[in-house]
Amino acid sequence: MNERPSAITLRAVYSALFLLIAITTAGLGQASAPKFRVIALAEHGGIHQPFVDAAKQWLGDLSKQENFSVDYIEDTEKIDDDFLSHYQLFIQLNYPPYMWTPKAMAAFQKYIEQGRGGWIGFHHATLLGEFDGYAMWPWFHEFMGGIRWKDYIAKFATAKVVVEDAKHPVLQGVPASFMIENEEWYTYDRSPRPNVHVLAHVDESTYKPDTKTKMGDHPVIWSNERMKARNIYIFMGHHPELFQNEAFTTIFKNSILWAAHP
């Protein structure tokens, strides 16, 4: 004759089940919480929209793999100290350094100078000068190494980018040189090198087709180490095919994981 389980045995079984459920639930909660939060200021419309769209898709995939969250804004109206306090990384996704509200400019400056979060800027972020009726932002001008936009290769060119600091976390796993196809390569009134830490430059002798639009010393990836915030500027960022370039995506991924942590 089978014996019925005692009340003590049942309590022990129930306790074990409840403990297992609690542990599992806690584990799922921890796994779902993002490691860090990213805000991306994305340029809307125009010739850079395909790059922005490709970046959003790529970031969506990467954020799932690396367990971080990404929010997007298309203007600077929401940006203030409180808004930025919710994010550990600010990505300037081709949005230029003008058309910002004064409140946003002040909050962003503190965010960078005080190291409240990291920053990655692409391409259009160095469109420094007088554009669309806006004056140049003096602080951002200094942040980018004291440069002013001068010219660009309107018909595009393919060229070799040469790594200068292979030991930097942003360039881990990146070859000593790599090709970037059909980019419009900005030139500036001066090299930012005296004021920033250059990580890579474009070898202008490799332009195909060749062009007279050159500046000599031509950095394309750099970091302003005078700021407390970890920051990276990446010039490349005009067309969506960049997300098929392994060197570019490795640099982007490395930049996110490095800049998001103080």
Side-chain angles (χ1 to χ4, degrees), residues 144-243:
M144 287 292 95
I147 59 173
R148 174 187 288 265
W149 186 93
K150 184 178 180 181
D151 205 350
Y152 71 114
I153 300 176
K155 295 184 178 181
F156 305 94
T158 295
K160 180 171 70 176
V161 172
V162 179
V163 169
E164 295 193 23
D165 185 357
K167 294 182 179 180
H168 195 283
V170 165
L171 294 173
Q172 296 302 298
V174 178
S177 64
F178 54 91
M179 300 301 295
I180 294 292
E181 297 182 355
N182 300 318
E183 189 55 88
E184 62 178 352
W185 307 106
Y186 291 173
T187 60
Y188 309 104
D189 62 339
R190 68 191 68 186
S191 170
R193 188 179 297 274
N195 302 311
V196 298
H197 176 43
V198 175
L199 302 183
H201 68 270
V202 60
D203 181 351
E204 294 182 329
S205 71
T206 67
Y207 281 152
K208 292 183 180 180
D210 197 8
T211 174
K212 294 182 179 179
T213 308
K214 297 177 180 177
M215 61 178 286
D217 179 24
H218 194 161
V220 292
I221 305 175
W222 66 77
S223 178
N224 187 331
E225 296 181 340
R226 302 180 186 187
M227 302 294 175
K228 287 187 177 180
R230 289 185 174 185
N231 63 87
I232 292 290
Y233 172 69
I234 302 168
F235 164 75
M236 293 74 72
H238 185 83
H239 55 79
E241 288 76 17
L242 282 164
F243 290 95

Side-chain angles (χ1 to χ4, degrees), residues 58 170 172-174 245-255:
W58 183 84
V170 165
Q172 296 302 298
V174 178
N245 185 314
E246 186 175 357
F248 176 82
T249 56
T250 299
I251 291 167
F252 195 172
K253 177 181 177 180
N254 288 348
S255 296

Side-chain angles (χ1 to χ4, degrees), residues 57-70:
Q57 181 176 344
W58 183 84
L59 282 166
D61 293 338
L62 183 68
S63 65
K64 293 175 183 176
Q65 295 170 18
E66 298 294 336
N67 191 27
F68 64 88
S69 67
V70 188

Side-chain angles (χ1 to χ4, degrees), residues 11-82:
R11 282 199 296 270
V13 171
Y14 291 150
S15 296
L17 285 173
F18 285 136
L19 180 61
L20 179 61
I21 292 169
I23 292 173
T24 301
T25 303
L28 289 173
Q30 291 174 358
S32 63
K35 293 178 183 176
F36 55 88
R37 298 185 66 196
V38 177
I39 183 65
L41 176 58
E43 186 170 319
H44 179 65
I47 57 175
H48 294 131
Q49 190 65 54
F51 173 83
V52 171
D53 291 341
K56 287 182 176 180
Q57 181 176 344
W58 183 84
L59 282 166
D61 293 338
L62 183 68
S63 65
K64 293 175 183 176
Q65 295 170 18
E66 298 294 336
N67 191 27
F68 64 88
S69 67
V70 188
D71 295 327
Y72 295 93
I73 52 175
E74 294 180 349
D75 58 47
T76 65
E77 291 295 329
K78 293 182 178 179
I79 298 176
D80 58 18
D81 290 338
D82 180 66

